[in-house]
Amino acid sequence: MNTQESKTALITGASSGIGQELAKLFAKDGYNLVLVARSTDKLNELGAQFWDEYGVETTVITKDLSEENAAQDVYNQVKDKNIRVDILVNDAGVGLYGKFATETDWEREKSLIHLNVLTTTLMTKLFLKDMVERNEGKILNLASLVSVTPMPLMAVYGATKAYINNFTQSLINELKGTNISVTALMPNATDTDFFNKAGAANTKVTENLDDPAVVAKDAYNAFIKGAHKVVPGSFANKALEVVSYITPQETLAERMRKSMEPKDEPKTEEKNNTAAWTWGISLAAVVLAGAALAVLYTNSSEYDKLRYRYKARKLKSGADDMFGDVKESLLTGLDNLKGAVSTAKEVVAKAKETFADAVAKTPSEVEEAV
């Protein structure tokens, strides 16, 4: 049943991966679709599938979005067809693997920047202007968890995602007081064709990839509610985002570099260090969340204190699960736990400065930060 007859979602990069999974979710909820990608056959196939399963109309626009004026051409085609875009999903993007100075090709990097930055920016500008005139609309921009970390061996890609995240958060502020929401999607490494196309299929990061269907589901649920950002997937993903704001950039760069190196068998010490880092950021995130809740509780009304006690119970439950996992890891070696505690202490020490002025903030400001 089509429950959103007058609503249309335009999705770039819709032929595969996260974009395709998002298209399925919009179709299931009755949104008509405008699907944009380079593969005409695949988009037509998806359109036929969505019509058969959900009764929604699909418009296919075949376009290489890394080309000059690609965004303007897509916008013109949409206007010529008299389609009103209520939701814009800027999902299309590419990466490139290798050392910037000696291994990567400038023409490919220029194409990457055009697609990830210029096209996304112009698509947003063109369709956002129409949304502002109607005072209604939603935009989802694909950033990444690497938008808040360095990314050695994919330096240009990481820089483009930092731009998208910053751009999105700035628009959120500019659009306060309107009925328009903009959301940054910040997934961790996901099981799509991205790494293969980027020339990074043999890197360690591909040994532990998130499911694109799970990423899309988490993203969709948060986006529809108007969230400013969404970090889909596990607690560890969310912990990584929080801790990235307070961990020294040199430390983050080193960890990211290791994850982007080839898959040669790591030494036992490296495995332990990786486990320590993972548990360390999780432990630190629990401490930081607890500290923030404590500040909120102290500065809140009786009604809000009830809400924060409930949040504290949820935090404790999550922490209990995590510490249970840490206890289990003792079976494989005490070094992991020792390293985790050491990492957590280092991160929390840095966090003290970050939360030093928390008592001066309003509860809403602290809650937004968390």
Side-chain angles (χ1 to χ4, degrees):
M1 178 69 67
N2 190 333
T3 60
Q4 298 285 349
E5 290 182 295
S6 63
K7 300 290 186 180
T8 298
L10 187 155
I11 305 171
T12 68
S15 59
S16 64
I18 298 171
Q20 180 176 315
E21 296 298 333
L22 284 169
K24 291 178 183 177
L25 294 171
F26 280 108
K28 185 177 180 181
D29 273 357
Y31 286 86
N32 293 324
L33 301 173
V34 178
L35 303 183
V36 184
R38 291 182 296 179
S39 176
T40 305
D41 292 343
K42 182 61 178 178
L43 294 183
N44 284 331
E45 179 184 332
L46 287 173
Q49 175 188 334
F50 296 153
W51 174 258
D52 291 341
E53 294 183 8
Y54 308 116
V56 298
E57 297 180 0
T58 299
T59 301
V60 169
I61 297 179
T62 307
K63 196 69 183 175
D64 181 351
L65 293 174
S66 67
E67 294 177 348
E68 191 73 23
N69 298 320
Q72 185 68 58
D73 185 54
V74 169
Y75 179 78
N76 291 344
Q77 289 192 51
V78 168
K79 300 300 281 187
D80 289 344
K81 297 176 188 297
N82 199 29
I83 297 173
R84 188 184 81 176
V85 171
D86 303 280
I87 288 176
L88 172 64
V89 178
N90 285 310
D91 174 77
V94 293
L96 182 62
Y97 180 77
K99 294 179 180 178
F100 176 75
T102 58
E103 297 178 353
T104 55
D105 174 70
W106 168 242
E107 290 302 320
R108 290 189 63 186
E109 283 168 333
K110 184 168 65 173
S111 177
L112 181 159
I113 294 169
H114 200 292
L115 172 57
N116 293 9
V117 175
L118 296 180
T119 294
T120 297
T121 304
L122 184 52
M123 289 282 287
T124 300
K125 190 173 188 69
L126 293 169
F127 287 102
L128 179 57
K129 184 177 180 180
D130 292 342
M131 293 177 183
V132 169
E133 290 178 355
R134 300 192 304 267
N135 194 27
E136 183 181 19
K138 293 180 180 295
I139 298 175
L140 179 66
N141 288 331
L142 182 61
S144 168
L145 268 180
V146 303
S147 67
V148 293
T149 72
M151 196 176 188
L153 301 180
M154 293 189 74
V156 176
Y157 169 77
T160 65
K161 291 305 174 179
Y163 169 88
I164 293 301
N165 190 18
N166 189 293
F167 174 60
T168 300
Q169 299 309 316
S170 297
L171 292 183
I172 290 167
N173 178 270
E174 290 184 10
L175 293 165
K176 279 185 175 181
T178 72
N179 294 323
I180 301 163
S181 65
V182 188
T183 304
L185 171 55
M186 300 170 63
N188 207 338
T190 305
D191 190 10
T192 68
D193 201 32
F194 170 83
F195 290 101
N196 182 50
K197 290 179 177 177
N202 191 45
T203 53
K204 292 175 184 176
V205 70
T206 61
E207 294 176 336
N208 185 25
L209 298 173
D210 287 348
D211 184 342
V214 173
V215 170
K217 182 68 173 178
D218 288 352
Y220 184 82
N221 290 340
F223 172 64
I224 291 299
K225 294 176 182 177
H228 292 173
K229 66 180 178 182
V230 52
V231 179
S234 68
F235 176 81
N237 290 346
K238 297 169 178 61
L240 176 58
E241 188 230 349
V242 173
V243 175
S244 293
Y245 296 129
I246 54 177
T247 302
Q249 291 292 293
E250 297 88 344
T251 303
L252 287 173
E254 187 64 27
R255 296 310 312 170
M256 295 302 293
R257 172 65 181 266
K258 289 184 180 299
S259 72
M260 294 307 299
E261 289 176 346
K263 288 180 180 177
D264 53 339
E265 185 66 23
K267 298 178 182 178
T268 301
E269 180 181 357
E270 182 178 333
K271 287 183 177 179
N272 287 339
N273 287 341
T274 299
W277 170 257
T278 301
W279 288 119
I281 62 172
S282 299
L283 288 166
V286 170
V287 172
L288 294 180
L293 281 175
V295 172
L296 288 167
Y297 186 83
T298 302
N299 292 278
S300 298
S301 65
E302 290 302 316
Y303 171 77
D304 285 334
K305 284 181 179 180
L306 290 175
R307 291 196 304 118
Y308 294 129
R309 282 199 290 269
Y310 170 73
K311 287 190 175 186
R313 287 195 295 271
K314 289 179 65 179
L315 178 63
K316 179 181 181 299
S317 176
D320 287 343
D321 291 342
M322 185 181 66
F323 281 104
D325 290 341
V326 172
K327 182 179 178 181
E328 185 177 339
S329 75
L330 285 170
L331 299 176
T332 59
L334 188 61
D335 287 343
N336 287 1
L337 182 58
K338 289 180 178 178
V341 173
S342 176
T343 302
K345 284 181 178 179
E346 178 184 347
V347 171
V348 172
K350 295 288 184 182
K352 287 182 179 179
E353 298 178 8
T354 302
F355 279 89
D357 65 337
V359 292
K361 295 181 182 293
T362 66
S364 62
E365 287 175 328
V366 178
E367 188 168 17
E368 179 66 26
V370 176

